[in-house]
Amino acid sequence: MTDQERTPDTDAPDNDVVLTSRARIARNVAGIPFVHRADEVQRKQAIERVLPSLNPSTCSEETEWFDLESITALQRRVLFEKNLISRQHADLRGPRGVAVARDGNLSMMVNEEDHVRMHAIAPGLQPGKCFERVRQLDKSAEQKIEWAFHQRWGYQTACPTNSGTGVRFSAMLHLPALRLTRELEKVRQAAKDLHLAVRGYYGEGSESSGHFYQVSNQVTLGCSEQELLDRFMKTIVPGIVNYERSARQALLRRDQIAIEDRVQRDLAILRSARVIKVDEAMRRLSTIRLGVCLDLVQDVPLDRLNRLFQQIQSGQLQQTAARSLTPPESQAARATLLREQLAGQ
Amino acid sequence: MTDQERTPDTDAPDNDVVLTSRARIARNVAGIPFVHRADEVQRKQAIERVLPSLNPSTCSEETEWFDLESITALQRRVLFEKNLISRQHADLRGPRGVAVARDGNLSMMVNEEDHVRMHAIAPGLQPGKCFERVRQLDKSAEQKIEWAFHQRWGYQTACPTNSGTGVRFSAMLHLPALRLTRELEKVRQAAKDLHLAVRGYYGEGSESSGHFYQVSNQVTLGCSEQELLDRFMKTIVPGIVNYERSARQALLRRDQIAIEDRVQRDLAILRSARVIKVDEAMRRLSTIRLGVCLDLVQDVPLDRLNRLFQQIQSGQLQQTAARSLTPPESQAARATLLREQLAGQ
């Protein structure tokens, strides 16, 4: 998979605020204990039961399998940085792996918290598209695997909050204006009232670097997948999107020159720095992304910017360099990449 | 006087560290009380006694007279920003004025602390050149004015530290590397031991903005002008200059990429900012000046940079705009000037 193949659709809906949408399905293989209770042999069994479902002849997707036990720590890190596996999945020990579709927008983690977590991602606000893709994968897997299922409680999962449909939708939202206007706490409170989880760019426990907030439904039980999807796509996320858009317009009206100043400075810094840490780079890229969406920056394509948030991570820099880098070397490589990618057209 | 006329000599000696040299002569008119004891009538008398000495037929310099009582506050401010009058002279009340030579490098303040303070400035380390010019002015003035003079104590001045020769030499030193390496305190201590005064860019009590330090002899009594000059030019200032140069080379050796990063970022910021306060601009110009002297920046002429330290001051921005500016307007005008003047060649 190359980054080129993964280029998000520039016309993705609501992509001024919604970086990506995701749909995830959690499943467990009937007759094998949940991962946290399974021993090595049982975990291996889970993998053996799942792998045949990925056979190209029957699977809806062509995938590549990564055995997380045998690949290097750097390779695991890169998969994590690309949001193909969770931090937990990278850091765990024992038999586990991930199948990744060619375009890098679909993955199936095996032996993370559940035996199977299928996960699709799409640019902008289109969780329906993600759900369709991940549901197809689930359907073809079902032909080979019997999932743990309870007549009353639905699909069974290691954590009860995932039981029922086992489906979770999420959207990675870029909320720099709400952060600048200090209204983010209101969003957090509203999200809490709506039983949504709010996380950072790199999932649970990660800081909201780059002013990205991943919002997802916490409850997967008690309503149908379609109800969950409708509620998420038509009410919850659009509400936050509009709130962020209003905050952006308010900023422009209140002090356009200050916003321009901030955007132009950050762009100039990333076009000139010789060394830069990842947090600073995320923060400045975030401001530039705001500038692009407000049409204050014309010569940086949104797609390229979106990719940079991942490409500047240490693992990917090391993968590109094809060797391990010291922190100062990483900072220099990151600055070089940013200068090249953001060079004026 | 235009800034063009005032362009410093690019080949001025030691101009990597020495921004300007100055020589000043303090004199008082015999028979009139010192300024702080003189009433309005006596101060007017002092002016009347001094003005004829500026008559073009006998004066060594062609000058323009500014009556500080009748010009506007903005005009006084601009004279101050150009180092032609002191803050004290600008803020005082009562009859006072300044004669300024066409090239803006020589001035004669009347009724500042003393009746007369003649003051010449030159780029780089050439206090001898300044002294020669100011001495010529003093000589031609002496033909018309009798100075207060005491056989034993020499020229009499309002403050005893200026008595004797009444001559003071100073150099405006740019010491960013000593600041970065935190060795500036050593210089301050050494200066104190050598009875030197250390001030900021705008004289007594001013902060050392832009990492400029004005070093001058405090004692003017007990040795000849030539001895003062020799000591200052051949020992004191060259010592500090070499210390700063060593610090610059040490910085380069220790972490060249960090210095490059700092210089390139600051240049990029000043080439992009939409609003900027004077302190921030001074600080970033200082880093860029270091970069130019270390050959890390090729496309910004040192002269232009040197002029900017004054041109970005609020008074001069308002003079250029030909109207008074609010602080946000000043910040925007300053940013525009910097973008224009520092635009890549």
Side-chain angles (χ1 to χ4, degrees):
Chain A
M1 171 195 59
T2 68
D3 287 307
Q4 220 49 48
E5 290 173 289
R6 205 180 173 178
T7 304
D9 183 351
T10 3
D11 302 324
D14 301 313
N15 67 359
D16 55 334
V17 180
V18 186
L19 184 70
T20 52
S21 305
R22 301 182 210 192
R24 182 264 278 158
I25 294 182
R27 295 285 185 263
N28 286 276
V29 180
I32 299 179
F34 288 141
V35 178
H36 65 283
R37 310 195 71 168
D39 59 24
E40 284 241 336
V41 174
Q42 291 165 323
R43 293 191 201 186
K44 276 195 178 139
Q45 279 176 351
I47 294 178
E48 282 155 17
R49 292 272 285 282
V50 170
L51 278 183
S53 78
L54 296 169
N55 191 308
S57 64
T58 53
C59 184
S60 65
E61 299 274 351
E62 193 182 332
T63 62
E64 183 179 359
W65 175 253
F66 296 91
D67 177 345
L68 296 190
E69 258 194 309
S70 65
I71 64 176
T72 64
L74 175 59
Q75 287 173 308
R76 285 195 294 272
R77 180 169 184 156
V78 170
L79 288 169
F80 163 69
E81 289 175 358
K82 292 183 170 177
N83 288 121
L84 294 168
I85 62 175
S86 64
R87 187 184 295 273
Q88 181 186 350
H89 203 206
D91 294 348
L92 271 172
R93 295 179 170 274
R96 68 201 192 286
V98 64
V100 179
R102 281 190 64 83
D103 71 353
N105 287 332
L106 179 84
S107 68
M108 181 195 272
M109 290 190 282
V110 180
N111 289 339
E112 197 237 25
E113 189 179 298
D114 293 297
H115 292 149
V116 171
R117 288 202 162 184
M118 291 165 273
H119 178 270
I121 189 167
L125 182 57
Q126 31 189 358
K129 185 175 166 183
C130 301
F131 181 54
E132 197 41 49
R133 193 167 178 195
V134 85
R135 208 172 59 89
Q136 284 299 329
L137 185 65
D138 179 41
K139 268 177 118 175
S140 62
E142 242 171 1
Q143 295 172 20
K144 305 270 181 178
I145 314 166
E146 188 193 341
W147 298 130
F149 185 82
H150 184 281
Q151 209 57 27
R152 179 154 178 211
W153 303 114
Y155 290 100
Q156 295 187 306
T157 52
C159 176
T161 60
N162 294 316
S163 291
T165 61
V167 175
R168 176 169 281 176
F169 296 106
S170 70
M172 184 70 79
L173 305 176
H174 187 222
L175 307 177
L178 288 173
R179 173 90 160 231
L180 277 174
T181 57
R182 295 177 192 180
E183 291 170 278
L184 210 61
E185 263 320 299
K186 291 185 202 162
V187 175
R188 278 186 188 282
Q189 192 50 52
K192 209 172 153 193
D193 296 345
L194 291 164
H195 303 290
L196 301 172
V198 179
R199 301 187 175 89
Y201 194 84
Y202 280 114
E204 208 134 10
S206 74
E207 282 305 302
S208 58
S209 59
H211 311 144
F212 285 106
Y213 300 85
Q214 188 187 348
V215 175
S216 57
N217 62 309
Q218 270 186 312
V219 179
T220 66
L221 185 70
C223 53
S224 75
E225 292 141 347
Q226 196 56 49
E227 281 167 346
L228 281 176
L229 179 59
D230 283 356
R231 192 157 162 256
F232 195 72
M233 249 190 98
K234 294 179 185 160
T235 309
I236 292 173
V237 174
I240 307 178
V241 167
N242 286 332
Y243 197 28
E244 166 69 16
R245 282 182 186 148
S246 304
R248 291 181 184 182
Q249 293 307 319
L251 278 178
L252 272 190
R253 273 196 311 277
R254 207 186 311 151
D255 199 355
Q256 173 149 2
I257 198 169
I259 296 295
E260 279 177 7
D261 180 62
R262 202 180 263 253
V263 168
Q264 294 302 333
R265 282 175 179 235
D266 281 359
L267 184 55
I269 288 170
L270 294 193
R271 280 174 170 167
S272 309
R274 269 32 182 184
V275 277
I276 192 163
K277 291 186 180 169
V278 71
D279 285 351
E280 186 193 345
M282 292 285 279
R283 202 175 67 239
R284 301 206 190 278
L285 282 173
S286 167
T287 311
I288 297 167
R289 193 179 194 280
L290 175 65
V292 169
C293 293
L294 290 176
D295 223 18
L296 301 175
V297 175
Q298 278 81 30
D299 60 352
V300 178
L302 193 59
D303 280 6
R304 186 175 306 167
L305 211 49
N306 290 345
R307 282 199 300 274
L308 278 172
F309 286 100
Q310 293 196 348
Q311 293 168 333
I312 59 169
Q313 305 298 325
S314 297
Q316 288 178 76
L317 294 173
Q318 296 183 66
Q319 196 184 44
T320 306
R323 66 182 181 88
S324 86
L325 301 173
T326 63
E329 286 173 340
S330 265
Q331 289 173 31
R334 182 176 298 115
T336 302
L337 174 73
L338 286 164
R339 286 205 310 281
E340 287 168 1
Q341 290 291 310
L342 296 174
Q345 306 285 301
Chain B
M1 170 195 62
T2 69
D3 286 307
Q4 221 48 49
E5 290 173 291
R6 205 180 172 178
T7 303
D9 183 352
T10 3
D11 302 323
D14 301 313
N15 66 358
D16 55 333
V17 180
V18 186
L19 184 70
T20 52
S21 305
R22 301 182 209 192
R24 182 264 278 158
I25 294 181
R27 295 285 185 262
N28 286 275
V29 179
I32 299 180
F34 289 142
V35 178
H36 64 283
R37 310 196 70 169
D39 60 24
E40 285 241 335
V41 175
Q42 290 166 323
R43 292 191 202 187
K44 275 195 177 138
Q45 279 176 351
I47 294 178
E48 282 156 16
R49 292 272 285 282
V50 170
L51 279 183
S53 78
L54 296 169
N55 191 309
S57 64
T58 53
C59 184
S60 64
E61 299 273 350
E62 192 183 332
T63 61
E64 182 179 0
W65 175 252
F66 296 91
D67 177 346
L68 296 190
E69 258 194 309
S70 65
I71 65 176
T72 65
L74 175 59
Q75 287 172 309
R76 285 195 293 272
R77 182 170 182 156
V78 170
L79 288 169
F80 163 69
E81 289 175 358
K82 291 184 170 175
N83 289 122
L84 295 168
I85 63 175
S86 64
R87 187 183 295 272
Q88 180 187 353
H89 203 206
D91 293 348
L92 271 172
R93 294 178 171 276
R96 67 202 192 285
V98 64
V100 179
R102 281 191 64 83
D103 70 353
N105 287 332
L106 179 83
S107 68
M108 181 196 272
M109 291 191 279
V110 180
N111 288 340
E112 196 238 24
E113 189 179 297
D114 293 298
H115 292 150
V116 170
R117 288 201 163 185
M118 290 164 274
H119 178 271
I121 189 166
L125 182 58
Q126 30 189 359
K129 185 176 167 185
C130 301
F131 181 55
E132 196 42 48
R133 193 167 179 196
V134 85
R135 208 172 60 90
Q136 283 298 329
L137 183 66
D138 179 41
K139 268 177 119 175
S140 63
E142 243 172 0
Q143 296 172 19
K144 304 268 181 180
I145 314 166
E146 188 193 341
W147 298 129
F149 185 83
H150 184 281
Q151 210 56 27
R152 181 158 177 206
W153 304 115
Y155 291 101
Q156 296 188 305
T157 52
C159 175
T161 61
N162 294 315
S163 292
T165 61
V167 175
R168 176 170 282 177
F169 297 105
S170 71
M172 184 72 80
L173 305 176
H174 186 223
L175 308 178
L178 288 173
R179 173 91 158 231
L180 277 174
T181 57
R182 294 175 193 183
E183 292 170 276
L184 210 61
E185 262 320 299
K186 292 186 202 163
V187 175
R188 278 186 188 281
Q189 194 50 51
K192 209 173 153 192
D193 296 345
L194 292 164
H195 304 290
L196 302 172
V198 179
R199 302 187 176 88
Y201 194 83
Y202 280 114
E204 208 132 11
S206 75
E207 282 305 301
S208 58
S209 58
H211 312 143
F212 285 106
Y213 300 84
Q214 188 186 349
V215 175
S216 57
N217 63 308
Q218 270 185 311
V219 179
T220 66
L221 184 70
C223 53
S224 74
E225 292 141 347
Q226 196 56 50
E227 282 167 346
L228 281 175
L229 179 59
D230 283 355
R231 191 156 163 255
F232 195 71
M233 249 190 97
K234 294 181 185 158
T235 309
I236 293 173
V237 175
I240 307 177
V241 167
N242 287 332
Y243 197 28
E244 166 68 18
R245 282 182 187 149
S246 305
R248 292 180 184 182
Q249 292 308 319
L251 279 178
L252 271 190
R253 273 196 311 275
R254 208 186 311 152
D255 200 355
Q256 173 150 2
I257 197 169
I259 296 294
E260 280 178 6
D261 181 62
R262 202 181 263 253
V263 169
Q264 294 302 334
R265 282 175 179 234
D266 281 358
L267 185 54
I269 288 171
L270 295 193
R271 280 175 171 167
S272 309
R274 267 38 182 178
V275 278
I276 192 163
K277 291 186 180 168
V278 71
D279 285 350
E280 186 193 346
M282 293 284 279
R283 202 175 65 237
R284 301 205 190 278
L285 282 173
S286 167
T287 311
I288 297 167
R289 193 178 193 281
L290 175 65
V292 169
C293 293
L294 289 176
D295 222 18
L296 301 175
V297 174
Q298 278 81 31
D299 60 352
V300 178
L302 193 59
D303 279 6
R304 185 176 307 166
L305 210 49
N306 290 345
R307 281 200 300 274
L308 277 172
F309 286 99
Q310 292 196 348
Q311 293 169 334
I312 59 169
Q313 305 298 324
S314 297
Q316 288 177 77
L317 293 173
Q318 296 183 68
Q319 196 184 43
T320 306
R323 66 183 182 86
S324 86
L325 300 173
T326 63
E329 286 173 340
S330 265
Q331 289 174 30
R334 182 176 299 116
T336 302
L337 174 73
L338 285 164
R339 286 204 310 280
E340 287 167 2
Q341 290 291 310
L342 295 174
Q345 305 286 300

